[in-house]
Amino acid sequence: MRRTISKVLILLLLLAQPCPAQSPVASPSPARNMVAKIPDGTRVEIATANTVDSADVKVGDIISFRVLKAVKIEGATVIEEGALARGRVAKANRGRPFGKAGQLAWEMREVAAVNGQSVPLAFVETRKGRSKSGTVATAAVITAVLFPVTPFALLWGFKRGKSAVLPAGTILQAVTRGDVTLTLNESR
């Protein structure tokens, strides 16, 4: 019985001991955000990510671009170098009969900001392929003169002009459309 009482007393003494003071755990300070405003008309230098051929795309297709230089506002990066920008094909015609050139037109849509928000872009460009209509017309006339009785001259109508091509890596300038307000992490 003595042993049991001794064990109980020891246990009570241990429980009654004051706990060593623990240092409070430093709570991480909440991330502070800053607001940056991208003004309307801010220039964004972009380059085509892939070759775009008017014979291979159709109206409504998306064209990918990459940002070449980071865009900074008041020392804070708002659009990173390499960010994805997108455009939409507005017109796509491959080379047409009788040597008429193909056409490619697109409009810029948006670029991704550092916080993932879409920033609208403005830019419309049209490219034209090489026309061969003069060559085709000349060849048709010469053929008609050399072979006046046969309709060989009409065969030149099957000759198509060149498609419009936008090579990969083509550098273009786009601008932001409208003022855009971004909330950024202060560390940027």
Side-chain angles (χ1 to χ4, degrees), residues 109-186:
R109 304 298 284 176
E110 63 196 6
V111 65
V114 293
N115 66 353
Q117 185 176 337
S118 290
V119 177
L121 293 176
F123 171 85
V124 177
E125 184 169 317
T126 303
R127 293 265 167 136
K128 222 175 177 184
R130 236 180 63 224
S131 177
K132 294 184 177 180
S133 358
T135 307
V136 169
T138 304
V141 169
I142 291 171
T143 304
V145 169
L146 294 175
F147 305 101
V149 181
T150 60
F152 287 133
L154 296 177
L155 293 176
W156 286 104
F158 291 109
K159 183 74 174 165
R160 290 186 173 274
K162 296 284 185 187
S163 297
V165 176
L166 182 63
T170 302
I171 298 172
L172 305 165
Q173 295 291 326
V175 294
T176 57
R177 188 175 63 228
D179 293 339
V180 178
T181 304
L182 302 174
T183 303
L184 305 173
N185 188 331
E186 192 176 72

Coordinates of all heavy atoms in Angstrom, one line a residue, residues 109-186:
R109 N -6.6 39.4 -78.6 CA -7.7 39.3 -77.6 C -7.2 39.6 -76.2 O -7.7 40.5 -75.6 CB -8.2 37.8 -77.6 CG -8.7 37.4 -79.0 CD -9.8 38.1 -79.5 NE -11.0 37.7 -78.8 CZ -12.2 38.3 -79.0 NH1 -12.3 39.3 -79.8 NH2 -13.2 37.9 -78.3
E110 N -6.2 38.9 -75.7 CA -5.8 39.1 -74.3 C -4.4 38.6 -74.1 O -3.8 37.8 -74.9 CB -6.8 38.4 -73.4 CG -6.8 36.9 -73.7 CD -8.0 36.1 -73.1 OE1 -8.9 36.8 -72.6 OE2 -8.0 34.9 -73.1
V111 N -3.9 39.0 -72.9 CA -2.6 38.5 -72.4 C -2.8 38.2 -70.9 O -3.6 38.8 -70.3 CB -1.5 39.5 -72.7 CG1 -1.7 40.8 -71.9 CG2 -0.1 38.9 -72.4
A112 N -2.0 37.2 -70.4 CA -2.1 36.9 -69.0 C -1.2 37.7 -68.2 O 0.0 37.8 -68.5 CB -1.8 35.4 -68.8
A113 N -1.8 38.4 -67.1 CA -1.0 39.2 -66.2 C -0.3 38.2 -65.2 O -0.6 37.0 -65.2 CB -1.9 40.2 -65.5
V114 N 0.5 38.8 -64.4 CA 1.3 38.0 -63.4 C 0.4 37.3 -62.4 O 0.7 36.2 -61.8 CB 2.4 38.8 -62.6 CG1 3.5 39.2 -63.6 CG2 1.8 40.0 -61.9
N115 N -0.8 37.9 -62.1 CA -1.7 37.3 -61.2 C -2.7 36.4 -61.8 O -3.7 35.9 -61.2 CB -2.4 38.4 -60.3 CG -3.4 39.2 -61.2 OD1 -3.4 39.1 -62.4 ND2 -4.1 40.1 -60.5
G116 N -2.6 36.1 -63.1 CA -3.5 35.2 -63.9 C -4.7 35.9 -64.5 O -5.4 35.3 -65.3
Q117 N -4.9 37.2 -64.2 CA -6.0 37.9 -64.7 C -5.7 38.2 -66.2 O -4.6 38.4 -66.7 CB -6.1 39.3 -64.0 CG -7.3 40.1 -64.4 CD -7.4 41.4 -63.5 OE1 -6.9 41.4 -62.4 NE2 -8.1 42.4 -64.0
S118 N -6.8 38.2 -67.0 CA -6.7 38.5 -68.5 C -6.7 40.0 -68.7 O -7.5 40.7 -68.1 CB -7.8 37.9 -69.2 OG -7.7 36.5 -69.2
V119 N -5.7 40.5 -69.5 CA -5.7 41.9 -69.8 C -6.0 42.0 -71.3 O -5.3 41.4 -72.2 CB -4.2 42.4 -69.6 CG1 -4.1 43.9 -70.0 CG2 -3.9 42.3 -68.1
P120 N -7.1 42.7 -71.7 CA -7.5 42.8 -73.1 C -6.4 43.6 -73.9 O -5.9 44.6 -73.4 CB -8.8 43.6 -73.0 CG -9.0 44.0 -71.6 CD -8.0 43.4 -70.8
L121 N -6.2 43.1 -75.1 CA -5.3 43.7 -76.0 C -6.0 44.2 -77.3 O -7.0 43.6 -77.7 CB -4.2 42.8 -76.5 CG -3.2 42.3 -75.4 CD1 -2.2 41.3 -76.0 CD2 -2.4 43.5 -74.8
A122 N -5.5 45.2 -77.9 CA -6.0 45.7 -79.2 C -4.9 45.7 -80.2 O -3.8 46.1 -79.9 CB -6.5 47.2 -79.0
F123 N -5.2 45.2 -81.4 CA -4.3 45.1 -82.5 C -5.0 44.4 -83.6 O -5.5 43.3 -83.4 CB -3.0 44.4 -82.0 CG -2.1 44.1 -83.2 CD1 -1.2 45.0 -83.6 CD2 -2.1 42.9 -83.8 CE1 -0.3 44.8 -84.6 CE2 -1.2 42.6 -84.8 CZ -0.3 43.5 -85.2
V124 N -5.0 44.9 -84.7 CA -5.6 44.2 -85.9 C -4.6 44.3 -87.0 O -4.1 45.4 -87.3 CB -6.9 44.8 -86.3 CG1 -7.4 44.0 -87.5 CG2 -7.9 44.6 -85.2
E125 N -4.2 43.2 -87.6 CA -3.3 43.3 -88.8 C -3.8 42.3 -89.9 O -4.4 41.3 -89.6 CB -1.9 42.9 -88.4 CG -0.9 43.0 -89.5 CD 0.5 42.9 -89.1 OE1 0.9 43.5 -88.1 OE2 1.3 42.3 -89.9
T126 N -3.5 42.7 -91.1 CA -3.9 41.8 -92.2 C -2.6 41.5 -93.0 O -1.8 42.4 -93.2 CB -4.8 42.6 -93.1 OG1 -6.0 42.9 -92.4 CG2 -5.3 41.7 -94.3
R127 N -2.4 40.3 -93.4 CA -1.3 39.9 -94.2 C -1.9 39.4 -95.5 O -2.9 38.8 -95.6 CB -0.5 38.8 -93.6 CG 0.2 39.2 -92.3 CD 1.7 39.6 -92.6 NE 2.2 40.3 -91.5 CZ 3.4 40.0 -91.1 NH1 4.2 39.2 -91.6 NH2 3.9 40.7 -90.0
K128 N -1.1 39.6 -96.6 CA -1.6 39.2 -97.9 C -0.5 38.3 -98.5 O 0.7 38.6 -98.3 CB -1.8 40.4 -98.8 CG -3.0 40.2 -99.7 CD -3.3 41.5 -100.4 CE -4.5 41.2 -101.3 NZ -4.8 42.3 -102.2
G129 N -0.8 37.2 -99.2 CA 0.1 36.4 -99.9 C 0.6 37.1 -101.1 O 0.2 38.2 -101.5
R130 N 1.4 36.4 -101.9 CA 1.9 36.9 -103.2 C 0.9 36.6 -104.3 O 0.4 35.5 -104.4 CB 3.2 36.3 -103.5 CG 4.3 37.4 -103.8 CD 5.6 36.8 -104.1 NE 5.6 36.1 -105.4 CZ 6.2 34.9 -105.6 NH1 6.8 34.3 -104.6 NH2 6.1 34.3 -106.7
S131 N 0.5 37.6 -105.0 CA -0.5 37.5 -106.1 C 0.3 37.1 -107.4 O 1.4 37.6 -107.6 CB -1.2 38.8 -106.3 OG -2.0 38.7 -107.4
K132 N -0.3 36.2 -108.1 CA 0.2 35.8 -109.4 C -0.7 36.1 -110.5 O -0.6 35.6 -111.6 CB 0.5 34.3 -109.4 CG 1.6 33.9 -108.4 CD 1.8 32.4 -108.5 CE 2.9 31.9 -107.6 NZ 3.2 30.5 -107.7
S133 N -1.7 37.0 -110.3 CA -2.7 37.3 -111.3 C -2.1 37.9 -112.6 O -2.5 37.5 -113.7 CB -3.7 38.3 -110.8 OG -3.6 38.6 -109.6
G134 N -1.1 38.7 -112.5 CA -0.4 39.3 -113.6 C 0.3 38.2 -114.5 O 0.2 38.1 -115.7
T135 N 1.0 37.3 -113.8 CA 1.7 36.2 -114.4 C 0.7 35.3 -115.1 O 0.9 34.9 -116.3 CB 2.5 35.4 -113.4 OG1 3.3 36.3 -112.7 CG2 3.3 34.3 -114.1
V136 N -0.4 35.0 -114.4 CA -1.4 34.1 -115.0 C -2.1 34.7 -116.2 O -2.3 34.1 -117.2 CB -2.5 33.7 -113.9 CG1 -3.7 33.0 -114.5 CG2 -1.8 32.8 -112.8
A137 N -2.4 36.0 -116.1 CA -3.1 36.7 -117.2 C -2.1 36.7 -118.4 O -2.6 36.5 -119.6 CB -3.5 38.1 -116.8
T138 N -0.9 37.0 -118.2 CA 0.1 37.1 -119.3 C 0.3 35.7 -119.9 O 0.2 35.5 -121.2 CB 1.5 37.5 -118.8 OG1 1.3 38.8 -118.2 CG2 2.5 37.6 -119.9
A139 N 0.4 34.6 -119.1 CA 0.5 33.3 -119.6 C -0.7 32.9 -120.4 O -0.6 32.2 -121.4 CB 0.8 32.3 -118.5
A140 N -1.9 33.3 -119.9 CA -3.1 32.9 -120.6 C -3.2 33.6 -122.0 O -3.6 33.0 -123.0 CB -4.3 33.3 -119.8
V141 N -2.8 34.8 -122.1 CA -2.8 35.6 -123.3 C -1.8 34.9 -124.3 O -2.1 34.7 -125.5 CB -2.5 37.1 -123.1 CG1 -2.2 37.7 -124.5 CG2 -3.6 37.7 -122.4
I142 N -0.6 34.6 -123.8 CA 0.4 34.0 -124.7 C -0.1 32.6 -125.2 O 0.0 32.3 -126.4 CB 1.7 33.9 -124.0 CG1 2.3 35.3 -123.8 CG2 2.7 33.0 -124.7 CD1 3.6 35.3 -122.9
T143 N -0.7 31.9 -124.3 CA -1.2 30.5 -124.7 C -2.3 30.7 -125.7 O -2.4 29.9 -126.7 CB -1.7 29.8 -123.4 OG1 -0.7 29.7 -122.5 CG2 -2.2 28.4 -123.8
A144 N -3.2 31.7 -125.5 CA -4.3 31.9 -126.5 C -3.8 32.3 -127.8 O -4.3 31.9 -128.9 CB -5.2 32.9 -125.9
V145 N -2.7 33.1 -127.9 CA -2.1 33.5 -129.2 C -1.4 32.3 -129.8 O -1.6 32.1 -131.1 CB -1.1 34.7 -128.9 CG1 -0.3 34.9 -130.2 CG2 -1.8 35.9 -128.5
L146 N -0.7 31.5 -129.1 CA 0.0 30.4 -129.7 C -0.9 29.2 -130.1 O -0.7 28.5 -131.0 CB 1.1 29.8 -128.7 CG 2.2 30.8 -128.4 CD1 3.1 30.1 -127.3 CD2 3.0 31.0 -129.6
F147 N -2.0 29.0 -129.3 CA -2.9 28.0 -129.6 C -4.3 28.6 -129.7 O -5.2 28.3 -128.8 CB -2.9 26.9 -128.5 CG -1.5 26.3 -128.3 CD1 -0.8 26.7 -127.2 CD2 -1.0 25.3 -129.2 CE1 0.5 26.2 -127.0 CE2 0.2 24.8 -128.9 CZ 1.0 25.2 -127.9
P148 N -4.6 29.3 -130.8 CA -5.9 30.0 -130.9 C -7.1 29.2 -131.0 O -8.2 29.5 -130.6 CB -5.7 30.9 -132.1 CG -4.7 30.3 -132.9 CD -3.8 29.5 -132.0
V149 N -7.0 28.0 -131.5 CA -8.2 27.1 -131.7 C -8.5 26.3 -130.4 O -9.7 26.0 -130.2 CB -7.9 26.2 -132.9 CG1 -9.1 25.3 -133.1 CG2 -7.5 26.9 -134.1
T150 N -7.6 26.0 -129.6 CA -7.8 25.2 -128.4 C -8.0 26.1 -127.2 O -7.5 27.2 -127.1 CB -6.6 24.2 -128.2 OG1 -5.5 25.0 -128.0 CG2 -6.5 23.3 -129.3
P151 N -8.8 25.6 -126.2 CA -9.0 26.3 -125.0 C -7.9 26.2 -123.9 O -8.2 26.2 -122.7 CB -10.3 25.8 -124.5 CG -10.4 24.4 -125.0 CD -9.6 24.4 -126.3
F152 N -6.7 25.9 -124.3 CA -5.6 25.7 -123.3 C -5.4 27.0 -122.4 O -5.0 26.8 -121.3 CB -4.3 25.4 -124.0 CG -4.2 24.1 -124.6 CD1 -3.7 23.9 -125.9 CD2 -4.6 23.0 -123.9 CE1 -3.7 22.6 -126.5 CE2 -4.5 21.7 -124.4 CZ -4.1 21.5 -125.7
A153 N -5.7 28.1 -122.9 CA -5.5 29.3 -122.1 C -6.4 29.3 -120.8 O -6.0 29.8 -119.8 CB -5.9 30.6 -122.9
L154 N -7.5 28.6 -120.8 CA -8.4 28.5 -119.6 C -7.7 27.7 -118.5 O -8.1 27.8 -117.4 CB -9.7 27.9 -120.0 CG -10.5 28.8 -121.0 CD1 -11.8 28.1 -121.3 CD2 -10.8 30.2 -120.3
L155 N -6.8 26.8 -118.9 CA -6.1 26.0 -117.9 C -5.4 26.9 -116.9 O -5.1 26.4 -115.7 CB -5.2 25.0 -118.5 CG -5.9 23.9 -119.3 CD1 -4.9 23.0 -120.0 CD2 -6.8 23.1 -118.5
W156 N -4.9 28.0 -117.3 CA -4.2 28.9 -116.4 C -5.1 29.4 -115.2 O -4.6 29.8 -114.2 CB -3.6 30.1 -117.1 CG -2.5 29.7 -117.9 CD1 -2.5 29.6 -119.3 CD2 -1.2 29.5 -117.5 NE1 -1.2 29.2 -119.7 CE2 -0.4 29.1 -118.6 CE3 -0.6 29.4 -116.2 CZ2 0.9 28.8 -118.5 CZ3 0.8 29.1 -116.2 CH2 1.5 28.8 -117.3
G157 N -6.4 29.3 -115.3 CA -7.3 29.7 -114.2 C -7.1 28.8 -113.0 O -7.5 29.1 -111.9
F158 N -6.5 27.6 -113.2 CA -6.3 26.7 -112.0 C -5.1 27.1 -111.2 O -4.9 26.5 -110.1 CB -6.2 25.2 -112.5 CG -7.5 24.7 -113.1 CD1 -7.6 24.5 -114.5 CD2 -8.6 24.4 -112.3 CE1 -8.8 24.0 -115.0 CE2 -9.7 23.9 -112.8 CZ -9.8 23.7 -114.2
K159 N -4.3 27.9 -111.7 CA -3.1 28.4 -111.0 C -3.5 29.2 -109.8 O -4.2 30.3 -110.0 CB -2.2 29.1 -111.9 CG -0.9 29.6 -111.3 CD 0.0 28.4 -111.2 CE 1.4 28.9 -110.7 NZ 2.2 27.8 -110.2
R160 N -3.1 28.8 -108.6 CA -3.5 29.6 -107.4 C -2.4 30.5 -107.0 O -1.2 30.3 -107.2 CB -3.8 28.6 -106.2 CG -5.0 27.8 -106.4 CD -5.2 27.0 -105.1 NE -6.5 26.3 -105.1 CZ -7.7 26.9 -104.8 NH1 -7.7 28.1 -104.3 NH2 -8.8 26.2 -104.8
G161 N -2.8 31.6 -106.3 CA -1.9 32.5 -105.7 C -1.3 31.9 -104.4 O -1.8 30.9 -104.0
K162 N -0.4 32.6 -103.8 CA 0.3 32.1 -102.6 C -0.6 32.4 -101.4 O -1.3 33.5 -101.3 CB 1.6 32.8 -102.4 CG 2.6 32.4 -103.4 CD 3.2 31.0 -103.2 CE 4.3 30.7 -104.2 NZ 4.7 29.3 -104.1
S163 N -0.6 31.6 -100.4 CA -1.3 31.8 -99.1 C -0.6 32.9 -98.3 O 0.6 33.1 -98.5 CB -1.3 30.6 -98.3 OG -2.1 29.6 -98.9
A164 N -1.3 33.6 -97.4 CA -0.6 34.5 -96.5 C -0.1 33.8 -95.4 O -0.7 32.9 -94.8 CB -1.7 35.5 -96.0
V165 N 1.2 34.1 -95.0 CA 1.9 33.3 -94.0 C 2.4 34.3 -92.9 O 3.0 35.3 -93.3 CB 3.0 32.5 -94.5 CG1 3.8 31.8 -93.4 CG2 2.5 31.5 -95.5
L166 N 2.2 34.0 -91.7 CA 2.8 34.7 -90.5 C 3.8 33.8 -89.9 O 3.4 32.8 -89.1 CB 1.7 35.1 -89.5 CG 2.0 35.9 -88.3 CD1 2.6 37.2 -88.7 CD2 0.8 36.1 -87.4
P167 N 5.1 33.9 -90.2 CA 6.1 33.0 -89.7 C 6.2 33.0 -88.1 O 6.0 34.1 -87.5 CB 7.4 33.5 -90.3 CG 7.0 34.4 -91.4 CD 5.7 35.0 -91.0
A168 N 6.6 31.9 -87.6 CA 6.9 31.8 -86.1 C 8.0 32.8 -85.8 O 8.9 33.0 -86.5 CB 7.3 30.4 -85.7
G169 N 7.8 33.5 -84.6 CA 8.8 34.4 -84.2 C 8.7 35.8 -84.7 O 9.5 36.7 -84.4
T170 N 7.6 36.1 -85.5 CA 7.4 37.4 -86.0 C 7.1 38.4 -84.9 O 6.2 38.1 -84.1 CB 6.2 37.4 -87.0 OG1 6.5 36.5 -88.1 CG2 5.9 38.8 -87.6
I171 N 7.8 39.4 -84.8 CA 7.6 40.4 -83.7 C 6.6 41.4 -84.0 O 6.6 42.0 -85.1 CB 9.0 41.1 -83.3 CG1 10.0 40.0 -82.9 CG2 8.8 42.1 -82.3 CD1 11.4 40.5 -82.7
L172 N 5.6 41.6 -83.1 CA 4.5 42.6 -83.3 C 4.4 43.4 -82.1 O 4.8 43.1 -81.0 CB 3.2 41.8 -83.6 CG 3.3 40.8 -84.7 CD1 2.1 39.9 -84.6 CD2 3.3 41.5 -86.1
Q173 N 3.7 44.6 -82.2 CA 3.4 45.5 -81.1 C 1.9 45.5 -80.9 O 1.1 45.7 -81.8 CB 3.8 46.9 -81.4 CG 5.3 47.1 -81.5 CD 6.0 46.9 -80.2 OE1 5.5 47.2 -79.2 NE2 7.2 46.3 -80.3
A174 N 1.5 45.2 -79.7 CA 0.1 45.3 -79.3 C 0.0 46.3 -78.2 O 1.0 46.7 -77.6 CB -0.5 43.9 -78.8
V175 N -1.3 46.8 -77.9 CA -1.5 47.7 -76.8 C -2.6 47.2 -76.0 O -3.5 46.5 -76.5 CB -1.8 49.1 -77.3 CG1 -0.6 49.7 -78.0 CG2 -3.0 49.2 -78.2
T176 N -2.6 47.6 -74.7 CA -3.7 47.2 -73.8 C -4.9 48.0 -74.2 O -4.9 49.2 -74.6 CB -3.4 47.4 -72.3 OG1 -3.0 48.8 -72.1 CG2 -2.2 46.5 -71.9
R177 N -6.1 47.4 -74.0 CA -7.4 48.0 -74.4 C -8.1 48.3 -73.1 O -8.6 47.4 -72.4 CB -8.2 47.1 -75.3 CG -9.4 47.7 -75.8 CD -10.1 46.8 -76.8 NE -10.6 45.6 -76.1 CZ -10.4 44.4 -76.6 NH1 -9.8 44.1 -77.7 NH2 -10.8 43.3 -75.9
G178 N -8.2 49.6 -72.7 CA -8.9 50.0 -71.5 C -7.9 50.0 -70.3 O -6.9 49.3 -70.4
D179 N -8.3 50.7 -69.3 CA -7.5 50.7 -68.0 C -7.8 49.3 -67.3 O -9.0 48.9 -67.2 CB -7.9 51.8 -67.1 CG -7.4 53.2 -67.7 OD1 -6.5 53.2 -68.6 OD2 -8.0 54.2 -67.3
V180 N -6.8 48.7 -66.8 CA -7.0 47.4 -66.1 C -6.3 47.6 -64.7 O -5.1 48.0 -64.6 CB -6.3 46.3 -66.8 CG1 -6.5 45.0 -66.1 CG2 -6.9 46.1 -68.2
T181 N -7.0 47.2 -63.6 CA -6.5 47.3 -62.3 C -6.2 45.9 -61.8 O -7.1 45.0 -61.9 CB -7.5 47.9 -61.3 OG1 -7.8 49.2 -61.8 CG2 -7.0 48.1 -59.9
L182 N -5.0 45.7 -61.4 CA -4.5 44.3 -60.9 C -4.2 44.4 -59.4 O -3.6 45.4 -58.9 CB -3.3 43.9 -61.6 CG -3.3 43.8 -63.2 CD1 -2.0 43.5 -63.7 CD2 -4.3 42.7 -63.6
T183 N -4.5 43.3 -58.7 CA -4.0 43.2 -57.3 C -2.8 42.2 -57.3 O -3.0 41.1 -57.7 CB -5.1 42.6 -56.4 OG1 -6.3 43.5 -56.5 CG2 -4.7 42.5 -55.0
L184 N -1.7 42.7 -56.9 CA -0.4 42.0 -57.0 C 0.1 41.7 -55.6 O -0.1 42.5 -54.7 CB 0.6 42.7 -57.7 CG 0.3 43.2 -59.2 CD1 1.3 44.1 -59.7 CD2 0.0 42.0 -60.0
N185 N 0.8 40.6 -55.4 CA 1.5 40.3 -54.2 C 2.7 41.3 -54.1 O 3.3 41.5 -55.1 CB 2.0 38.8 -54.2 CG 2.6 38.4 -52.9 OD1 3.1 39.2 -52.1 ND2 2.5 37.1 -52.7
E186 N 2.9 41.8 -52.9 CA 3.9 42.8 -52.7 C 5.3 42.4 -53.1 O 6.2 43.2 -53.5 CB 4.0 43.3 -51.3 CG 4.8 44.6 -51.1 CD 4.7 45.1 -49.7 OE1 5.3 44.4 -48.8 OE2 4.0 46.1 -49.5

